[in-house]
Amino acid sequence: MFSSVAHLARANPFNAPRRSRNLAAAAVEEYSCEYGSMKFYALCGLGGILSCGLTHTAVVPLDLVKCRMQVDPQKYKGIFNGFSITLKEDGVRGLAKGWAPTFIGYSMQGLCKFGFYEIFKVVYSNMLGEENTYLWRTSLYLAASASAEFFADIALAPMEAAKVRIQTQPGYANTLRDAAPKMYKEEGLNAFYKGVAPLWMRQIPYTMMKFACFERTVEALYKFVVPKPRSECSKGEQLVVTFVAGYIAGVFCAIVSHPADSVVSVLNKEKGSTASQVLQRLGFKGVWKGLFARIIMIGTLTALQWFIYDSVKVYFRLPRPPPPEMPESLKKKLGLTQ
C-alpha cells in the first residue's frame, strides 16, 4: 500500500508538496488503482461517458429550442416562444427529437474529453517538472484540455451533424436511423465531418474555459470560501464545492463558445455553405442569438458534468489529488521558508 502511495506522489506533480505530511494519511485511504495507471484513465473515461452522455441527453428539449432559435430566429423569437411553437407543432414527443445522436455523440466526446485530459495533464506535468507545473498550472490546464478536445470533437462531429439535421429541418428525418443513411447518400462522409472545424472553434475554447476555470475556481473556493482544508471535508462537502465551481465555469464556457455554436447550428442545417459564409451572413448580432438559453443550459450542464465525474471518482475510489500547493523547493528559492 505504501508503495502505491509513493507512486501516486511521483506521478502527480501537483501533489508533490504534500508528500511528507500527507503520506501517512494517504496510506490509510484505500485507492482502487494508482494515479496515472491504465485503470485510472479507463475509469476517468467512463466518468466522462456518464457525465457528458447523460447530461446532454437530459437537456435535449432546451438544446432543440436553442438550435431552432439560431437557425430560424424569425419564427422562434425567444426561449418560451420556441417551446410553445414546438409543442404546438410537434407535441411533447417533438421535444425529444435528436436524443439518440445526442447520447451517442456526447458519450464518445466525454470519453475522449475527460480521459485524454487526465492523460495530457500528467504528460505535460512530467515535461514541465514540479516547480514549473505549479507556476504554469493554468497554462497546463489550458493545453491539456485543448489537446483532449481536439480528439473529442472528431468523435462527436458525425452525431452532432445528424442531431442538428433532425432538430432543425422539419420533415428531413425523425430518428438517427433515418437521418444517417440520408445524409451519407446526399453528401457522403463530408455530411458528417464538414462541421468538425467549426466544432473545434466552439468546443476547444469552451473546454479550455471549462477545465481551467473549474480547476482555479476549486482552488480559490478552498482557499478563500471553504472554512477548512479539503482533507477535512467530507466527500459530500467536496462534491458541493465541485458543483459550485462547475456552474461558475459553465457560465463562462457558454459566453466564450456561443458564436461558434451558432455557426455550427446553421452550417449543419444547410448544404454547400462554409463557416466563413455563415459567419458573414449572421453578423455580430446574429451569432449571439439564443445566448440566454445556452447560459442556462451550459451552466447547469457543466455543473452536473463535474458533479457526476467527481462522483464516479469517489464511487470507484480513484485518487483525487488536493488543490496544488507551492513546492518546498520553490518556496526556498523565493525565500518563503525560514
Side-chain angles (χ1 to χ4, degrees), residues 135-147:
L135 291 172
W136 295 91
R137 60 192 183 280
T138 302
S139 298
L140 185 146
Y141 302 144
L142 293 169
S145 57
S147 302

Side-chain angles (χ1 to χ4, degrees), residues 62-99:
L62 185 59
D63 183 48
L64 180 143
V65 172
K66 182 266 301 178
C67 286
R68 289 182 172 181
M69 287 169 60
Q70 290 171 327
V71 301
D72 194 356
Q74 299 302 317
K75 181 177 181 180
Y76 302 94
K77 301 183 185 301
I79 184 170
F80 297 111
N81 174 256
F83 270 107
S84 176
I85 293 173
T86 300
L87 285 169
K88 185 178 180 180
E89 292 182 349
D90 302 327
V92 176
R93 288 187 65 183
L95 291 172
K97 274 189 174 182
W99 74 267

Side-chain angles (χ1 to χ4, degrees), residues 182-199:
K182 194 171 182 179
M183 291 169 65
Y184 183 76
K185 185 178 179 180
E186 291 176 351
E187 298 181 68
L189 286 175
N190 184 56
F192 299 100
Y193 286 100
K194 71 176 183 179
V196 72
L199 262 182

Side-chain angles (χ1 to χ4, degrees), residues 124-173:
Y124 295 158
S125 294
N126 291 337
M127 290 170 61
L128 287 171
E130 182 179 291
E131 294 180 2
N132 285 330
T133 287
Y134 176 80
L135 291 172
W136 295 91
R137 60 192 183 280
T138 302
S139 298
L140 185 146
Y141 302 144
L142 293 169
S145 57
S147 302
E149 189 61 37
F150 176 84
F151 296 101
D153 290 341
I154 295 173
L156 169 65
M159 293 296 104
E160 178 74 2
K163 174 188 78 78
V164 173
R165 290 284 181 96
I166 292 168
Q167 291 181 337
T168 62
Q169 287 189 246
Y172 184 83

Side-chain angles (χ1 to χ4, degrees), residues 17-329:
R18 301 174 186 246
R19 287 177 196 163
S20 57
R21 65 177 181 269
N22 281 359
L23 186 59
V28 176
E29 185 171 356
E30 289 287 341
Y31 293 120
S32 64
C33 60
E34 294 182 346
Y35 185 91
S37 66
M38 288 303 296
K39 182 179 179 181
F40 174 80
Y41 293 133
L43 289 174
C44 286
L46 174 62
I49 289 173
L50 295 174
S51 66
C52 291
L54 294 177
T55 52
H56 277 276
T57 304
V59 295
V60 160
L62 185 59
D63 183 48
L64 180 143
V65 172
K66 182 266 301 178
C67 286
R68 289 182 172 181
M69 287 169 60
Q70 290 171 327
V71 301
D72 194 356
Q74 299 302 317
K75 181 177 181 180
Y76 302 94
K77 301 183 185 301
I79 184 170
F80 297 111
N81 174 256
F83 270 107
S84 176
I85 293 173
T86 300
L87 285 169
K88 185 178 180 180
E89 292 182 349
D90 302 327
V92 176
R93 288 187 65 183
L95 291 172
K97 274 189 174 182
W99 74 267
T102 297
F103 179 73
I104 296 169
Y106 282 94
S107 292
M108 295 303 296
Q109 188 213 36
L111 170 68
C112 298
K113 185 198 297 273
F114 284 92
F116 284 156
Y117 174 70
E118 298 288 357
I119 292 172
F120 282 118
K121 193 162 68 166
V122 170
V123 169
Y124 295 158
S125 294
N126 291 337
M127 290 170 61
L128 287 171
E130 182 179 291
E131 294 180 2
N132 285 330
T133 287
Y134 176 80
L135 291 172
W136 295 91
R137 60 192 183 280
T138 302
S139 298
L140 185 146
Y141 302 144
L142 293 169
S145 57
S147 302
E149 189 61 37
F150 176 84
F151 296 101
D153 290 341
I154 295 173
L156 169 65
M159 293 296 104
E160 178 74 2
K163 174 188 78 78
V164 173
R165 290 284 181 96
I166 292 168
Q167 291 181 337
T168 62
Q169 287 189 246
Y172 184 83
N174 289 321
T175 66
L176 178 60
R177 284 194 302 262
D178 295 334
K182 194 171 182 179
M183 291 169 65
Y184 183 76
K185 185 178 179 180
E186 291 176 351
E187 298 181 68
L189 286 175
N190 184 56
F192 299 100
Y193 286 100
K194 71 176 183 179
V196 72
L199 262 182
W200 282 328
M201 290 165 52
R202 180 187 83 184
Q203 291 296 132
I204 289 178
Y206 163 86
T207 302
M208 291 169 73
M209 181 66 72
K210 174 178 181 174
F211 282 87
C213 185
F214 172 80
E215 298 269 21
R216 292 310 299 259
T217 302
V218 167
E219 188 180 337
L221 288 174
Y222 279 114
K223 188 174 181 179
F224 300 111
V225 179
V226 180
K228 54 187 176 181
R230 199 191 80 158
S231 58
E232 296 177 15
C233 295
S234 67
K235 292 292 191 294
E237 290 170 337
Q238 291 177 23
L239 289 173
V240 170
V241 173
T242 295
F243 184 86
V244 172
Y247 209 102
I248 293 170
V251 172
F252 288 101
C253 288
I255 296 169
V256 165
S257 62
H258 190 74
D261 181 65
S262 297
V263 173
V264 169
S265 294
V266 175
L267 190 66
N268 282 324
K269 179 192 174 187
E270 299 177 349
K271 298 177 187 176
S273 295
T274 65
S276 59
Q277 289 171 340
V278 171
L279 185 61
Q280 188 174 15
R281 189 166 69 252
L282 287 175
F284 180 80
K285 187 176 180 180
V287 297
W288 294 106
K289 284 281 185 181
L291 177 61
F292 179 68
R294 194 155 189 269
I295 285 176
I296 297 172
M297 184 181 83
I298 296 300
T300 306
L301 210 63
T302 306
L304 288 173
Q305 283 175 0
W306 278 114
F307 184 84
I308 293 170
Y309 182 66
D310 222 20
S311 296
V312 169
K313 283 188 168 183
V314 169
Y315 179 79
F316 287 107
R317 295 182 292 110
L318 299 184
R320 297 164 62 243
E325 283 189 358
M326 184 180 292
E328 292 299 325
S329 58

